[in-house]
Amino acid sequence: MSGLGVHPIAPDRLIATAAREIVALERSRLPNLSGLTVLLPNLHAAGSFGRALREAAGVPTLLLPRFATLRDLAGQTEPGVARMPLSRRQAMIYQALRATEWFRQGDLWHVSAELLRLFDEITLWQVQLPASGEDFLQQLEAAYQARRGGPMQFEARLVHELWHAMSGSGELDDAAHYQLQLSLLAAEAPGPLYLAGLQALMPVEQAFLERYAQAHAVHCFNSDGSQGDPAGLPYLLEAAWAGPEQAAPLHERAAACRSNAPASALGQRISLFGAHGLEHEAEALAFRIGQWLAEGKTAIAVVVQDRLVARRARALLERAEVLVQDETGWTLSTTSASTVLMRWLDNLDSQFHFQDLLDLLKSPFIFSAWDGARRRNTVYRLEQLIRRHSVVSHLHRYRALAGEDEDVLELLQILYEAQQKLDRKKQRPLASWLQSLQESLELLGILPGLQRDQAGEQVLRLLDGLRHELSPDATLFRYAEWRQWLNQQLEEAVFRDESITSPVVFTHLAACRLRDFDAAIIAGADAAHLPGQGRESVFFNQPVRAQLGLPGRRTALESERQDLTGLLTAVPEVRVTWQARKNGEPNPLSPWFERLETFHVLAYGRSLKGAETIPSRIRAAEEQDGFAALAMTTRPAPSLPSALVPGTISASGYNSLMACPYQFFARHALHLNELDEVALALEKRDYGEYVHEILHRFHGRYPVVMECAPDEIEQALHEISREVFNRAIEADFVSHAWLLRWQAAIPGYLAWQQQREREGWRWQAGELACTRPVALAGERQLTLRGRLDRVDRRGQEQAVLDYKTQNFDSLKKKLKPAGEDVQLACYALLLETPPRQAAFVAVDEEVVRQLEPPEPLAELAGASLERLQSLFQSLHEGAPLPAQGVAAACQYCEMRGLCRKDYWNE
Ligand code: SF4
């Protein structure tokens, strides 16, 4: 028997009814149905379909039919014709577009991908494009209902010319290959064919069914247009969602629904929950899943409409040790495996900009042959060098910093060799670029790491596959073109972790067709996410697509609505969640659920919203479990075990202890000092360091300036200044402004220096590293350390000077509270013989002046030493280190996030 039969069935009964009808039609074959083929939307549905068949057959043993999807079944035929892979087709279109110079270089890959999608649709929807460009233009003119103009002519020419160029290539594209597979399958037609729940078939698939039906019976069971029982849920949903073509207004349809079914078919089945933000929605979702699992549910679907919510909920579930089977996956480009690859290429693009470089080197995938500790230590040392010397980019500059450090040198050498593999100046075929990329990854020791990682393995498979597919293509591409192409490939590939099997499945609406779930959550069901926005084609607007016979938005919406109906009718408990407020603004629910809510209120006087009481229950659960976040509302005051009290202290550490003990605790006991920031452009702090270096070099060469002619000495200081600043100017020309600023201060500095020499002082040493033991009680010892900018001598007397690029008045303020700033006192303590003088020198002013503390130096030094001893003595005895910085100390304190000053309950 042959023929094509279509059987509309209400969605809530589709599997059971289809199974009964198949058994009725094939009773003569029982108990062996293995000669039949049943096509399903996905293979997850095979289990429940098999059970329904067994039940309908009522025989103890039943040999089940073959279950397959249409794509899989078609894939089992081999047309024996070469198929041109997508990647090669895209390269061909790109090349053709590049030759026309119609588009900007940067858009070409995007346009070629769009054209490919359009061409596939033209094939699958069996659209016949006219042979002549003029006829196609006329067709578009009619479809747009507009006179031809530049843009229309361009669109017509682009599509028409490239379509014909691609069709004449002699190799089949994917869509044509599928079409050929279907026609071979129809010709073979091995036995009766049944389809269940396959909605919205494409014209090539419809044509296949018709042809197949000439040889064997084909029966399609689907829910197109069938609402079944007027008291049932599909009927209610259809009445609520009916389009404008429905004559009766909503309230009349609601009244009719109530008279058919006095009790709501929705019952307790569906509830709508409006969260007040992303975190709230994710928490509600995780909580509900936890409850369902505790109730013993074993198949829970989360239909992901908003990926951000899903990602957060997934993290919460994983924290509660509930793993999630994620069928939606995420783009391969967001995995750490592809990040290491992209970061490597970023390094080539940015000449090893330090941020790209450090990101790359800190990836766990790189240098896999190195011992972990060696790699980490080497990277740490390199980072310290980069930060200390503010080197921003270029391998040769990093190499110059490395000195004798063999590991750092080796690491930089490997990077250099890997860089050589990808010569950015050359033009090459895509496959050749991929080959070189792979070689560079091998040198960098990234390949083994990727091979061990699931996503990494998928990245490698993708690259291998593309290289293989593209090997016949000899078109040359510049590095930048290849890089854009590679980004697109990683953006479009989806990674799914298939190692996890869990009762909780994150999936999408279309993948739920005919599947058995105990409960489901539709997450992120706001107006922006449901219905989905679909992929808008850049070619032809919706009416023109309809005129040409291409699928439009309406088809996609109808299919999505049918899937939603299928889910709501098949799953006994469904929660719909959305963020009722986003960024403080109201965020509307999906129009479909908003309509359902209105309809339900009209029909049954009961809202579907607000039935959920998740938030308070979550809080209660958290509190019970002791998980409530501990709000830090008081200022911290930790104390240190004696063994952890630092054994050395610098002048700045002592100042920190005086300004805020907690700051000292965080910086010098926990060693949480900020890493040196790499200065992209010269900053004030670097300016100070440069000035220090200039003066050190200058006085090293000219200890007594009065011995030289004033012009000569000024000239020398200018030269040294240029030498030192050149480093910064090379990296950033704007640094020149800092040099000019310093040069303006040179005459003032020399005048001050000469005056000092007239007073009898002579430069003696600079950049002097000193330490001094400080005895504490109980044989404990502390070491005071510091680096003195400059020591002068006058006969037997010494002076310690500290250069400052701050202005004179702020230095004055610094020294005003007696004994509070301990820097000069510490420097005085660090000299073997107590100095006669300790002073700041404000070197960055037109008139350079020095500033001494108001108290007698010996007294100040003595008091500072005593206080240091007593403070450390108390620290060893467990004295607290309270956070008590005043506004000036807190203003630039990097520990503010740690002491949580802004959250104290005071
Ligand atoms: S922010 Fe203020 S109180 Fe907090 S650690 Fe820093 S200096 Fe102390």
Side-chain angles (χ1 to χ4, degrees):
M1 194 183 91
S2 58
L4 176 60
V6 178
H7 310 263
I9 302 170
D12 54 342
R13 302 189 194 147
L14 203 146
I15 290 187
T17 311
R20 270 202 308 276
E21 295 210 15
I22 292 173
V23 167
L25 286 164
E26 302 289 348
R27 191 155 290 284
S28 61
R29 293 178 188 257
L30 289 177
N32 184 358
L33 298 183
S34 61
L36 311 180
T37 302
V38 177
L39 297 181
L40 298 169
N42 55 68
L43 287 183
H44 297 290
S48 36
F49 209 98
R51 280 193 295 280
L53 278 173
R54 278 198 196 96
E55 205 171 298
V59 290
T61 321
L62 181 72
L63 284 180
L64 289 172
R66 168 164 65 154
F67 293 112
T69 64
L70 184 50
R71 282 270 173 189
D72 289 345
L73 196 65
Q76 288 166 16
T77 62
E78 186 35 72
V81 185
R83 182 178 66 87
M84 188 189 282
L86 191 72
S87 53
R88 262 177 54 212
R89 287 171 64 213
Q90 195 181 4
M92 261 180 80
I93 294 196
Y94 183 95
Q95 188 189 7
L97 285 173
R98 190 170 59 179
T100 63
E101 298 184 358
W102 286 339
F103 294 93
R104 275 190 323 124
Q105 185 82 54
D107 296 336
L108 287 184
W109 287 118
H110 176 66
V111 176
S112 55
E114 281 291 337
L115 279 168
L116 277 182
R117 263 189 288 278
L118 177 69
F119 293 165
D120 283 350
E121 284 179 334
I122 289 175
T123 306
L124 296 169
W125 263 259
Q126 299 189 316
V127 175
Q128 292 299 328
L129 289 194
S132 94
E134 178 55 31
D135 291 348
F136 185 49
L137 186 56
Q138 277 178 13
Q139 196 180 350
L140 284 190
E141 229 179 327
Y144 277 117
Q145 294 181 336
R147 290 165 66 85
R148 65 180 64 189
M152 194 196 293
Q153 277 171 320
F154 174 69
E155 194 174 31
R157 193 172 156 206
L158 175 72
V159 172
H160 194 268
E161 279 185 16
L162 286 173
W163 163 253
H164 283 288
M166 293 301 290
S167 334
S169 72
E171 284 180 278
L172 289 184
D173 58 38
D174 283 341
H177 194 259
Y178 179 50
Q179 192 176 14
L180 191 56
Q181 286 178 317
L182 287 176
S183 66
L184 282 178
L185 188 61
E188 282 168 17
L193 188 63
Y194 293 91
L195 288 80
L198 265 67
Q199 325 277 18
L201 291 177
M202 294 182 290
V204 285
E205 294 169 335
Q206 284 290 357
F208 153 74
L209 293 182
E210 278 156 24
R211 190 143 170 241
Y212 196 106
Q214 290 168 11
H216 279 289
V218 176
H219 293 272
C220 303
F221 302 99
N222 58 42
S223 52
D224 285 351
S226 170
Q227 294 103 54
D229 178 5
L233 184 52
Y235 194 92
L236 184 151
L237 294 174
E238 183 58 30
W241 288 340
E245 63 281 359
Q246 270 277 345
L250 194 69
H251 69 273
E252 283 179 21
R253 300 201 306 262
C257 193
R258 189 180 52 238
S259 73
N260 289 336
S264 165
L266 281 175
Q268 297 300 314
R269 210 180 171 98
I270 298 174
S271 73
L272 311 175
F273 174 66
H276 48 70
L278 185 144
E279 190 65 24
H280 189 209
E281 185 179 0
E283 279 180 354
L285 209 146
F287 177 75
R288 172 54 47 202
I289 290 172
Q291 292 288 299
W292 281 340
L293 289 173
E295 285 165 18
K297 291 188 168 51
T298 53
I300 297 166
V302 177
V303 178
V304 176
Q305 295 297 124
D306 180 346
R307 277 220 65 82
L308 284 181
V309 174
R311 194 178 302 169
R312 182 68 193 127
R314 183 192 168 122
L316 292 174
L317 286 167
E318 284 177 355
R319 201 166 72 184
E321 296 182 0
V322 176
L323 288 182
V324 167
Q325 190 176 322
D326 193 345
E327 293 177 359
T328 56
W330 52 86
T331 59
L332 204 50
S333 62
T334 58
T335 62
S336 55
S338 69
T339 305
V340 65
L341 197 144
M342 298 324 268
R343 200 56 74 242
W344 164 232
L345 298 176
D346 288 344
N347 271 280
L348 300 184
D349 294 347
S350 68
Q351 307 282 4
F352 295 89
H353 186 275
F354 76 96
Q355 275 163 346
D356 293 332
L357 178 64
L358 294 175
D359 273 3
L360 175 73
L361 295 178
K362 287 177 186 175
S363 163
F365 292 106
I366 199 167
F367 294 117
S368 48
W370 286 36
D371 165 62
R374 179 184 171 213
R375 181 175 63 84
R376 280 192 300 276
N377 287 336
T378 309
V379 173
Y380 174 78
R381 290 200 303 280
L382 177 61
E383 179 168 7
Q384 296 304 311
L385 287 171
I386 289 174
R387 292 186 184 282
R388 200 169 318 128
H389 298 277
S390 276
V391 174
V392 176
S393 61
H394 291 85
L395 281 182
H396 69 270
R397 295 210 176 114
Y398 302 134
R399 226 183 268 141
L401 298 180
E404 304 279 289
D405 191 326
E406 283 181 9
D407 282 346
V408 172
L409 287 170
E410 186 180 334
L411 180 146
L412 294 171
Q413 179 62 21
I414 294 173
L415 289 169
Y416 173 76
E417 284 168 20
Q419 180 193 27
Q420 297 306 303
K421 294 281 173 197
L422 285 158
D423 184 351
R424 297 166 76 247
K425 292 190 199 91
K426 284 190 184 160
Q427 292 201 26
R428 297 158 165 211
L430 293 173
S432 162
W433 279 117
L434 286 172
Q435 174 67 32
S436 301
L437 172 66
Q438 209 148 349
E439 287 167 11
S440 70
L441 295 179
E442 191 150 11
L443 275 174
L444 294 168
I446 291 177
L447 284 186
L450 292 183
Q451 279 153 357
R452 282 194 295 272
D453 177 82
Q454 250 204 70
E457 220 241 312
Q458 199 173 319
V459 169
L460 291 179
R461 234 182 303 132
L462 176 76
L463 299 182
D464 262 353
L466 287 168
R467 189 165 51 82
H468 181 70
E469 285 175 4
L470 287 161
S471 53
D473 189 289
T475 318
L476 297 179
F477 292 89
R478 286 194 300 278
Y479 170 84
E481 293 177 299
W482 168 71
R483 176 85 210 262
Q484 280 169 357
W485 170 83
L486 186 64
N487 286 351
Q488 193 186 58
Q489 303 305 312
L490 293 169
E491 276 298 323
E492 287 184 358
V494 175
F495 168 68
R496 292 188 185 88
D497 185 348
E498 276 153 13
S499 64
I500 299 173
T501 310
S502 165
V504 183
V505 179
F506 279 24
T507 188
H508 45 85
L509 207 44
C512 293
R513 284 182 205 156
L514 299 195
R515 285 171 76 172
D516 247 355
F517 288 111
D518 298 333
I521 295 176
I522 302 176
D526 59 14
H529 293 94
L530 188 71
Q533 299 307 310
R535 192 196 273 268
E536 278 291 328
S537 169
V538 295
F539 297 104
F540 313 133
N541 63 23
Q542 289 297 324
V544 174
R545 283 176 66 84
Q547 280 278 328
L548 292 175
L550 293 168
R553 177 96 184 101
R554 210 184 158 89
T555 318
L557 277 179
E558 186 47 34
S559 172
E560 193 173 1
R561 196 165 69 83
Q562 282 189 18
D563 288 337
L564 184 59
T565 303
L567 179 82
L568 296 182
T569 53
V571 180
E573 201 171 347
V574 180
R575 293 284 187 278
V576 179
T577 66
W578 88 105
Q579 294 168 55
R581 295 190 78 77
K582 252 185 175 174
N583 305 322
E585 299 288 328
N587 183 39
L589 174 63
S590 156
W592 287 343
F593 282 113
E594 203 55 82
R595 179 105 72 94
L596 188 60
E597 158 74 1
T598 310
F599 183 87
H600 201 258
V601 171
L602 287 172
Y604 298 102
R606 190 173 71 75
S607 167
L608 299 169
K609 288 181 185 170
E612 191 62 272
T613 51
I614 289 166
S616 55
R617 290 168 68 184
I618 283 180
R619 261 179 238 124
E622 278 177 342
E623 278 156 21
Q624 264 173 24
D625 296 347
F627 285 138
L630 181 65
M632 186 186 271
T633 51
T634 51
R635 56 174 77 209
S639 53
L640 281 169
S642 179
L644 296 185
V645 174
T648 10
I649 188 165
S650 62
S652 67
Y654 190 179
N655 259 341
S656 168
L657 183 59
M658 295 294 293
C660 172
Y662 186 82
Q663 188 190 67
F664 170 81
F665 164 78
R667 281 185 186 167
H668 301 278
L670 300 184
H671 303 289
L672 298 178
N673 310 41
E674 265 185 338
L675 276 173
D676 289 337
E677 287 287 326
V678 175
L680 298 175
L682 198 70
E683 291 167 358
K684 182 74 197 287
R685 190 188 52 167
D686 309 293
Y687 174 65
E689 283 175 15
Y690 279 35
V691 170
H692 278 67
E693 188 178 338
I694 289 166
L695 294 177
H696 180 57
R697 282 198 204 179
F698 172 69
H699 287 296
R701 286 187 214 166
Y702 303 93
V704 185
V705 302
M706 287 202 309
E707 286 175 355
C708 304
D711 285 357
E712 185 197 330
I713 207 77
E714 190 167 337
Q715 173 79 8
L717 187 49
H718 274 284
E719 261 168 36
I720 293 172
S721 304
R722 274 195 296 273
E723 268 168 37
V724 172
F725 270 92
N726 262 352
R727 249 179 13 224
I729 292 169
E730 224 179 86
D732 173 33
F733 187 74
V734 178
S735 306
H736 202 261
W738 289 101
L739 171 63
L740 293 177
R741 171 173 166 169
W742 163 243
Q743 284 175 329
I746 285 180
Y749 178 79
L750 289 175
W752 169 82
Q753 174 63 26
Q754 282 157 354
Q755 175 57 29
R756 199 162 166 74
E757 288 179 10
R758 278 194 288 275
E759 289 167 12
W761 289 107
R762 293 289 179 270
W763 183 88
Q764 184 190 2
E767 298 294 327
L768 211 61
C770 304
T771 56
R772 170 188 178 137
V774 177
L776 303 178
E779 309 215 336
R780 285 200 191 98
Q781 191 149 300
L782 175 69
T783 304
L784 177 65
R785 64 177 167 80
R787 180 174 288 273
L788 314 184
D789 285 352
R790 166 170 171 174
V791 177
D792 281 5
R793 177 172 286 280
R794 184 170 64 185
Q796 294 306 307
E797 292 175 336
Q798 276 187 312
V800 58
L801 299 177
D802 195 55
Y803 299 132
K804 294 283 183 202
T805 48
Q806 287 157 278
N807 68 43
F808 188 78
D809 290 336
S810 57
L811 291 173
K812 216 167 166 182
K813 268 192 217 147
K814 208 174 163 108
L815 291 183
K816 203 167 178 192
E820 205 162 281
D821 190 284
V822 293
Q823 194 176 0
L824 290 173
C826 285
Y827 289 169
L829 288 169
L830 285 168
L831 282 182
E832 261 176 44
T833 324
R836 161 90 178 72
Q837 184 187 52
F840 291 139
V841 187
V843 292
D844 191 30
E845 311 233 298
E846 219 172 294
V847 179
V848 172
R849 285 171 285 176
Q850 66 199 44
L851 185 70
E852 293 173 49
E855 311 87 338
L857 185 59
E859 228 173 80
L860 177 68
S864 296
L865 182 63
E866 264 176 43
R867 189 171 45 195
L868 184 63
Q869 286 168 313
S870 127
L871 281 170
F872 266 73
Q873 195 55 45
S874 342
L875 290 187
H876 280 288
E877 285 161 10
L881 290 148
Q884 57 186 32
V886 294
C890 299
Q891 195 178 2
Y892 300 110
C893 175
E894 75 282 12
M895 300 302 162
R896 199 173 179 121
L898 193 67
C899 77
R900 298 177 67 79
K901 181 182 171 91
D902 301 312
Y903 302 94
W904 294 344
N905 232 355
E906 293 179 359

